[in-house]
Amino acid sequence: MLPFLNRMARPRPASRLSRRRVLAGSVGVAGAAVVEQAVADSLADVPPRGPGAQLSPVGYRSEHVHLARVPESTPGRRPVDPSEAINSKTPIGQLVGSITPSDLHYERSHAGVPDIDPAQHRLLVHGMVREDLVFTMDDLLRMPSTSRVAFLECTGNGWENWKEAPPELTVQNTHGLISTSEWTGVPLSFLLDLVGADRNTTWMLAEGGDGAAVARSVPLTDEIIAEGLLAYGQNGEPLRPSNGFPLRLFLPGFEGNLNIKWLRRLKFGNQPFLTRWETARYTQLQADGSARQFQLRQEVNSVITSPSGMMQIHPGFNPITGLAWSGHGRITRVEVSTDGALSWRDAEISGPALSKAQTRFQAHWAWDGGPTKIVSRSTDEKSNVQPNRATFIAATGSNALFHYNAQQTWAIDGDGRVRNVLA
């Protein structure tokens, strides 16, 4: 140890305070636990300084960081060859904060990702409007724009736990079909005024330019008109191809399939258009055998991302962190339980809780080494509370596949192994 460091390390006997008392008073339980577990060391053996890599045109991740989406076909079939995949899940258990990097944003495609030249792309607007119009991307880029942070979630997020709970699932497997970005584009309200939409217009057909010709009917509620975007930007750059480049519809808080990618047509009318995507496909089979149409909003939800499935923990301090979100608006409360939902306590919401955006939460926890279960539940500004599994299944039955928002439970055994279970 260098002499001056040695002198600095000597305590003052007459005024020395208890190390625990100082830590508990200044940084709280979490900070104290981290410092208590830290090992005294020095910088003597760290790698030496030296010249680094040259500047590059595009930034890249460290070779020590390994982040990737997981391609999946049907529930339980993963990983699969990309040619078989219908979606690709975000590694939410490895991310921090609430914004998803654009290259890790989840993907759901029905006929692959089209390669579209923005110079040739067109948007047709017709139906109950003053005049049918066709816009180029240059036209759209010259219009007024706005940006907002909001989540996008596939209706199939959580579908793994409808009937059973495979223990080997990670949180990426169970909840990887959601991502949050900053979206930029033309307000839908501006376009409606520009084309002179008839005042009796109540529905809009949105159609994509992919091989499957995905098309959905969108109700023109005040909320959708006020918040909808014709988005061409994501996290400060043009959309990635898998997320709709060069143009997509973005409707904050509403199911992913409604947010049409590679948008090329908007038709306005006074009734739903009843495409095959809302009759044969995106409907919910109820407990009584009937099918529910137009269940469009994503409900209040949350999940603990750490500790979570297939992780390993050790007795002592283990921070709990996760994400909460709601298609109804802002998250106002997140609670966690470390005894299998027998008791609950409030978690801390980290950073601003934005409307219809994923919100990070955290809680301190000292694990005693005994088997237990951990779970979270969230509440939004409309007082919607995330249901437990029993309540959810009682209301919906187990025949459905979409809009699963029941509480996610992780079981921890005496060896600290974290596994997926049904509560």
Side-chain angles (χ1 to χ4, degrees), residues 12-276:
R12 298 179 181 178
S15 60
R16 183 177 182 182
L17 295 176
S18 162
R19 182 165 176 261
R20 282 183 194 276
R21 286 176 58 199
V22 171
L23 288 172
S26 61
V27 297
V29 176
V34 171
V35 174
E36 288 291 336
Q37 293 178 7
V39 178
D41 209 335
S42 74
L43 298 182
D45 298 323
V46 301
R49 293 189 179 100
Q54 296 179 352
L55 301 184
S56 59
V58 178
Y60 55 89
R61 291 189 178 94
S62 165
E63 63 180 9
H64 305 288
V65 175
H66 305 286
L67 296 170
R69 298 183 300 196
V70 170
E72 178 184 73
S73 54
T74 55
R77 288 195 60 208
R78 79 183 80 77
V80 297
D81 185 274
S83 64
E84 299 180 57
I86 63 172
N87 63 49
S88 191
K89 293 184 170 181
T90 297
I92 64 172
Q94 297 171 270
L95 301 182
V96 297
S98 57
I99 298 294
T100 308
S102 295
D103 63 332
L104 297 175
H105 192 287
Y106 88 86
E107 179 184 354
R108 174 69 170 103
S109 300
H110 292 271
V113 179
D115 180 14
I116 297 177
D117 181 351
Q120 297 180 355
H121 190 68
R122 299 292 184 269
L123 173 66
L124 167 64
V125 181
H126 65 135
M128 294 177 65
V129 295
R130 182 174 54 245
E131 179 184 5
D132 295 353
L133 294 171
V134 176
F135 298 103
T136 66
M137 285 306 301
D138 282 344
D139 293 332
L140 294 165
L141 289 167
R142 288 199 300 270
M143 295 178 187
S145 67
T146 189
S147 297
R148 71 168 293 174
V149 174
F151 74 81
L152 184 64
E153 183 178 21
C154 177
T155 58
N157 203 27
W159 63 6
E160 299 285 3
N161 286 342
W162 270 104
K163 298 180 184 297
E164 58 184 357
E168 73 280 0
L169 298 185
T170 68
V171 70
Q172 182 174 13
N173 300 147
T174 61
H175 288 79
L177 291 176
I178 184 171
S179 302
T180 292
S181 295
E182 180 192 59
W183 304 93
T184 300
V186 179
L188 178 60
S189 58
F190 176 85
L191 186 76
L192 286 167
D193 289 341
L194 183 67
V195 300
D198 189 290
R199 62 186 181 89
N200 294 316
T201 295
T202 53
W203 287 83
M204 174 178 73
L205 176 71
E207 179 188 85
D210 57 326
V214 177
R216 290 297 305 271
S217 301
V218 179
L220 289 177
T221 64
D222 290 343
E223 178 184 9
I224 284 177
I225 292 172
E227 298 187 8
L229 285 178
L230 278 64
Y232 48 73
Q234 179 182 10
N235 294 335
E237 65 174 346
L239 295 168
R240 298 292 175 102
S242 62
N243 277 293
F245 179 83
L247 186 69
R248 76 174 303 158
L249 182 64
F250 184 70
L251 305 173
F254 291 87
E255 63 179 21
N257 184 256
L258 210 64
N259 295 254
I260 297 297
K261 296 188 285 188
W262 313 295
L263 183 66
R264 73 170 189 176
R265 184 164 73 101
L266 293 175
K267 183 178 181 179
F268 294 96
N270 57 11
Q271 59 186 347
F273 294 84
L274 299 179
T275 72
R276 67 187 179 101

